[in-house]
Amino acid sequence: MSQALQVALTHAGQRLSAAGVEDFRREARILLAFVLDIDMLQVSLRLEQKLNAEQSAALEDALTLRMARVPMSHILGYRDFYEHRFIVTPDVLDPRPETEELVARALSAPFHNVLDLGTGSGCIILSLLAVNSSARGLAVDQSANALEVARRNAEQLQLIDRVRFCQSDWCAEIAAERFDLIVSNPPYIHPAEWKGLSPEVHHEPKSALTDYKDGLSHYATLAHQLHEFLAEEGRLLFEIGSDQGEAVAQILRQEGYRDIAILEDLDHRPRVVSCRPRTKKRTNLSK
């Protein structure tokens, strides 16, 4: 049976609300727009329009998934991040708004060659390359499926000629090369926090979110490995959990990095730690 958009919108909102979805009215509009293949703003202009049987079935399928707390990005197949739209699948971490702070901080100084470790969808490195048209980059991930999503995003953004891909457990398979910018958003959630996270998070790859240890082990691994990949005056930037700033900074200090800074996001929460490589010892040739 066909139904008007107004009725479908109200009904969808009620069901999402009952499922515990906080912004249920907005999400109901998003799902209707998705089913109708229109902009969300157009939904309000078509409230008297009737949904046909195919559209009603598609809306029911989408609602069923969202009520099961499947992330909206998995239903739509994309997430808007920074200045672009990225393909998202269950094989990659859903790009978060807070990660845009890492991109913005990385763009605050020039760079020519960027390394992104744990690239996932590629949203970080591709956002950087889209802005810096003279730069090139290497995207690394241990998951072949994640790298395929990143490749698809690179093709969609017409950046495929400026980015390379490498399947590797962090730096293990990377050929010797120096980068003047290295960025990473490693898994940093403490395992004890896992059960308290939103239901949507449990549909994402767990290994992209937690290190199964203390939330800090990947920072220690990367800090140790990256000495041989960071250019002499290059920059290293990590995204961090809001309570991890000093702990990550201490890891970097112990590894000899310099100019370590804990940077806040727009909500004044620690979000990025940046640093430069340790100063190389100079041999004194004077007599």
Side-chain angles (χ1 to χ4, degrees), residues 242-257:
S242 59
D243 61 347
Q244 294 176 316
E246 186 51 42
V248 174
Q250 182 60 23
I251 289 171
L252 294 170
R253 288 190 199 102
Q254 291 173 347
E255 281 288 340
Y257 289 88

Side-chain angles (χ1 to χ4, degrees), residues 107-125:
L107 289 169
S108 66
F111 62 91
H112 302 286
N113 195 14
V114 55
L115 169 63
D116 179 16
L117 292 153
T119 196
S121 67
C123 64
I124 296 172
I125 190 169

